Amino acid sequence: MTLIDVHLTPDYTSRALREDARAGLTADPKWLAPKWFYDARGSELFEQITRLPEYYPTRAEREILQARAAEIAELTGAHTLVELGSGSSEKTRLLLDGLRDHGTLTTFVPLDVSETALREAAAAINADYPELTVHGVVGDFTAHLDKLPGDAPRVVAFLGGTIGNLLPTERETFYTSVREGLEPGEWLLLGTDLVKNPATLVAAYDDSAGVTGEFNRNVLRVLNRQLGADFDVDAFSHLAVWNPENEWIEMHLRADRAMRVLIPEIGLEVDFAEGEEMSTEISAKFHRYGVEAELGKAGFTPGAWWTDTEERFALSLWQA
Ligand code: AVJ
């Protein structure tokens, strides 16, 4: 059985894009938010990134899930798996298999802002796990965590290290709203990339095949298509920098020449100086002590901490 709850109005995404583009392109320094990378082409480029030799996080997290899915089922006794982000990936299936084999799972709840991605994910999982109720939610994980369906105990999975895209204050708000959306005794399963040698980190975000550069520039294509902008995409260079104070990777787009960009749908003219850098993503990296401090502050109790054999990535379990 498949059910879909829609918590977003049809124009939610286009309004949010307009507001973000206005705020970021009139700021100094300029920024664009990483959530706008993921149109069809951007999602395909990200899939390619996950297969690059330099981009270790996907493989490291998969290794942990393969080793620990049964243990996650045992520890949580989950009846419901909620996945933030659409969730029909191989990693989702590793978790679903572990929980199903344990015999307690009844419901899968994928949550995504994209109704198309959500319906595809829900249908794919429904086809392969016909005994589960698939109850999808079209929503924003920064706003609709109080409306999660499914019978308790639920496990909310936030995988891939996407938490690293949030600023520290945004992470605090996110963790608190997850905890408030859960009943005491329910669970959060969190994937976090770990601080390591900067050369390894920079290579993961600046691959030799140039896929991450294409992914980064894709945000300009999204603005060209959605807002009628006239960015000369090829006039921007991809940069990936390790910020040691904040322990995050920053991706930037650097204007290779001075230019004026018109964005008619939001009535903006934006000037770039030659060499001007615009921030497009932060991807924070973590230490165990930092994750424990942040989750503890949000009211979670530690359940488990697992890493891959090379200790590049962590998967951790937290009880509300
Ligand atoms: C999907 C957010 C986990 O931050 O590593 C990959 C996105 N950006 N390469 C990450 C990304 C550049 C990725 N997340």
Side-chain angles (χ1 to χ4, degrees), residues 18-223:
R18 279 154 205 268
E19 279 169 28
D20 263 21
R22 169 171 296 283
L25 293 172
T26 58
D28 186 15
K30 298 182 181 64
W31 56 270
L32 292 170
K35 65 174 161 188
W36 306 114
F37 287 136
Y38 300 94
D39 66 347
R41 180 174 187 177
S43 300
E44 170 53 33
L45 286 165
F46 178 66
E47 284 302 313
Q48 288 182 35
I49 288 172
T50 66
R51 295 190 289 266
L52 292 169
E54 297 97 333
Y55 193 77
Y56 61 84
T58 307
R59 285 185 296 277
E61 190 181 47
R62 185 188 305 133
E63 178 196 322
I64 306 168
L65 282 166
Q66 258 155 358
R68 304 297 182 175
E71 216 172 320
I72 293 166
E74 193 71 42
L75 283 166
T76 64
H79 288 196
T80 300
L81 175 65
V82 179
E83 187 170 3
L84 307 182
S86 58
S88 61
S89 66
E90 191 195 339
K91 287 189 281 186
T92 307
R93 287 158 190 269
L94 287 172
L95 263 180
L96 284 172
D97 290 346
L99 295 169
R100 179 180 61 180
D101 295 349
H102 183 67
T104 51
L105 191 71
T106 65
T107 310
F108 176 54
V109 178
L111 180 143
D112 203 273
V113 284
S114 160
E115 183 161 350
T116 316
L118 187 84
R119 288 190 186 276
E120 276 172 24
I125 295 298
N126 188 245
D128 294 343
Y129 299 82
E131 72 286 4
L132 292 183
T133 297
V134 180
H135 193 154
V137 178
V138 180
D140 185 334
F141 66 68
T142 61
H144 300 113
L145 296 176
D146 54 334
K147 296 185 172 124
L148 297 176
D151 52 328
R154 295 170 296 185
V155 175
V156 174
F158 193 38
L159 302 179
T162 302
I163 188 67
N165 284 171
L166 275 56
L167 291 164
T169 56
E170 297 171 327
R171 292 201 299 266
E172 188 177 342
T173 306
F174 170 75
Y175 291 138
T176 301
S177 58
V178 175
R179 213 259 305 132
E180 288 173 351
L182 294 173
E183 298 298 331
E186 296 190 302
W187 304 88
L188 169 65
L189 181 67
L190 181 69
T192 44
D193 196 11
L194 300 176
V195 174
K196 58 183 65 62
N197 150 22
T200 303
L201 287 166
V202 169
Y205 291 83
D206 194 7
D207 60 286
S208 58
V211 181
T212 308
E214 277 311 301
F215 174 74
N216 194 4
R217 277 184 287 271
N218 189 60
V219 71
L220 303 179
R221 294 198 180 88
V222 169
L223 297 193

Side-chain angles (χ1 to χ4, degrees), residues 9 11-20 36:
T9 59
D11 63 344
Y12 176 90
T13 310
S14 69
R15 290 172 82 115
L17 173 61
R18 279 154 205 268
E19 279 169 28
D20 263 21
W36 306 114

